[in-house]
Amino acid sequence: MTTLADIDLPDLPHPDYASGGLNAVVDVANVYMQNAVMLFASGWDGGQPDMIAWLGDKKLLSADGKKLTKDGAQTLEPGSSVLVDGYDKQRGAFVDKTSQLQAQNDGVNERAIASFDTSNKAFQDVKEIVNGLVTELSRKPGEHQLTRLPDGNLHLTPAEENRLLQLILEGVDRVHDTIEDADSGMRRDAGNIYQMIPDLPRNPYGNAPDAGSLAPWAPTASNATWTRGTGTPDDIIAKAREQLALGVAEIGGNNVPMFRGPDGKLYKAPYNINDAWCAAFSTWTWDQAGYNVHWTNPNYVPAVWNDAKHMGLAANISSAQKGDMIIFDWEGDGTPDHVGIVESVDPRTGRITTIEGNSSDQLKSNSYSMNAGSLVGVVKPPSNQARAS
């Protein structure tokens, strides 16, 4: 049985005489690559975080240091200068990203990765990439190009720093591609197996998520209400897509969703609450679509789920439909902690496509297997055909 210790990657060392900016990149790359392995081993269905795309979104990659693949993802242009000048000034962004990824790593528990096979080729390939970086970053001072600063201190030359930066980010890019390819292959194989199953009567979505040893949800008292409105599920999706098209995202992980207007200026999104904003976005979307639901706390996921239970709007994940709110429990502790909007459900595969606020610090579309253990259930939009009793 695999444990967390079995998939622990070696730490990337800080090169001798490196700048604070280079060390910050080393730290975020270290946590990112561990994050990729842990999410893969735990069967995570939210997709692999793309550090290169994140650097591009933060305007940290130089124009000649990136290229776009067919699906719009950003990758490194081999042999180029990879980061913009003065990246040392962006150290705070790297520190914030490191903290965010580390928090996600800390949320993966032993039970989630118990069935992972540590002989998995993707994992072994990632270890080889990381070990190569460790060797390069651990070289003795005399093996790196150094310069003496005006204050008399030694420092890596700009050319040497850039070379190491490129090696680190190329390693990150290779880890991302390795895990993505392995994950896609597993999904493809699973799909082929599904198609070979005899067409017998069965639930097309598979088994419900395993509750494990968690205590059943026990709703508390609620005074939440809803009244008849004018919206449809299509209206909900239209509003969510409008916001997605704006490219709403935080700046430096500050919990303030922003978008750039036609005039080129940045504006706060209307669902900004200066705090975690996934519930605020979902509630705002329903409200804008013409649904009149009065949650006891529209910005707090446990309150929304509790209110939904009270009003009879909560349902099993197997009944997910477009326009529903979808509830997540990332920690697996029985307390819901994230919510998004169901954009669509593939009736053949049972995969759910979502639009989620505060997903990797942005408004983002994600895809999940309906069997994913992190999915708690859905909240149905109240009927707009009759007033609630």
Side-chain angles (χ1 to χ4, degrees), residues 201-243:
R202 61 185 183 275
N203 174 5
Y205 302 121
N207 297 326
D210 181 14
S213 59
L214 301 179
W217 180 268
T220 58
S222 168
N223 59 2
T225 60
W226 63 268
T227 56
R228 184 164 58 92
T230 59
T232 68
D234 286 334
D235 295 330
I236 295 174
I237 302 307
K239 289 297 179 183
R241 286 174 175 167
E242 284 177 9
Q243 295 299 300

Side-chain angles (χ1 to χ4, degrees), residues 64-86:
D64 60 350
K66 62 184 177 181
K67 62 181 179 180
L68 294 179
T69 59
K70 291 181 180 179
D71 62 358
Q74 288 167 325
T75 61
L76 290 177
E77 189 71 60
S80 63
S81 176
V82 291
L83 287 178
V84 294
D85 292 337

Side-chain angles (χ1 to χ4, degrees), residues 10 58 155 304 309:
K58 297 296 183 183
H155 196 285
V304 170
K309 287 280 189 175

Side-chain angles (χ1 to χ4, degrees), residues 22-43:
L22 176 57
N23 287 336
V25 175
V26 169
D27 290 340
V28 72
N30 185 54
V31 178
Y32 165 80
M33 290 188 286
Q34 185 68 69
N35 181 262
V37 167
M38 293 182 74
L39 295 186
F40 178 58
S42 67

Side-chain angles (χ1 to χ4, degrees), residues 269-389:
Y271 33 84
N272 168 57
I273 57 172
N274 294 317
D275 204 341
W277 48 282
C278 62
F281 164 73
S282 299
T283 298
W284 179 89
T285 303
W286 271 22
D287 180 70
Q288 293 296 301
Y291 286 89
N292 304 321
V293 183
H294 310 290
W295 308 112
T296 54
N297 186 341
N299 303 323
Y300 186 51
V301 180
V304 170
W305 184 237
N306 183 69
D307 292 345
K309 287 280 189 175
H310 174 76
M311 293 186 288
L313 302 178
N316 190 279
I317 197 69
S318 62
S319 67
Q321 295 177 307
K322 65 179 178 181
D324 292 353
M325 289 188 188
I326 183 168
I327 306 294
F328 300 80
D329 176 9
W330 296 134
E331 306 297 329
D333 59 2
T335 300
D337 45 30
H338 184 64
V339 60
I341 298 294
V342 175
E343 182 179 22
S344 63
V345 180
D346 187 330
R348 184 182 66 83
T349 64
R351 291 199 69 80
I352 302 173
T353 301
T354 64
I355 299 176
E356 302 166 37
N358 206 19
S359 174
S360 299
D361 296 342
Q362 60 187 303
L363 188 59
K364 188 178 178 183
S365 177
N366 293 313
S367 176
Y368 304 91
S369 165
M370 194 168 282
N371 289 330
S374 59
L375 303 183
V376 175
V378 292
V379 181
K380 296 291 184 181
S383 170
N384 279 335
Q385 303 304 312
R387 185 177 297 272
S389 57

Side-chain angles (χ1 to χ4, degrees), residues 185-195:
M186 290 174 62
R187 296 187 190 283
R188 182 176 60 251
D189 292 344
N192 291 339
I193 292 172
Y194 182 90
Q195 292 177 6

Side-chain angles (χ1 to χ4, degrees), residues 54-134:
W54 175 80
L55 288 168
D57 291 341
K58 297 296 183 183
K59 311 300 183 189
L60 295 175
L61 284 178
S62 59
D64 60 350
K66 62 184 177 181
K67 62 181 179 180
L68 294 179
T69 59
K70 291 181 180 179
D71 62 358
Q74 288 167 325
T75 61
L76 290 177
E77 189 71 60
S80 63
S81 176
V82 291
L83 287 178
V84 294
D85 292 337
Y87 69 88
D88 198 43
K89 299 177 182 177
Q90 304 290 343
R91 186 178 177 185
F94 290 109
V95 172
D96 288 344
K97 189 65 174 178
T98 301
S99 297
Q100 176 197 354
L101 290 171
Q102 187 61 57
Q104 192 171 39
N105 288 355
D106 293 342
V108 176
N109 57 43
E110 297 279 357
R111 188 172 65 178
I113 55 93
S115 62
F116 181 71
D117 185 354
T118 52
S119 66
N120 184 292
K121 185 178 185 301
F123 174 59
Q124 297 303 322
D125 288 345
V126 168
K127 283 183 65 177
E128 184 176 345
I129 294 169
V130 174
N131 285 332
L133 285 174
V134 169

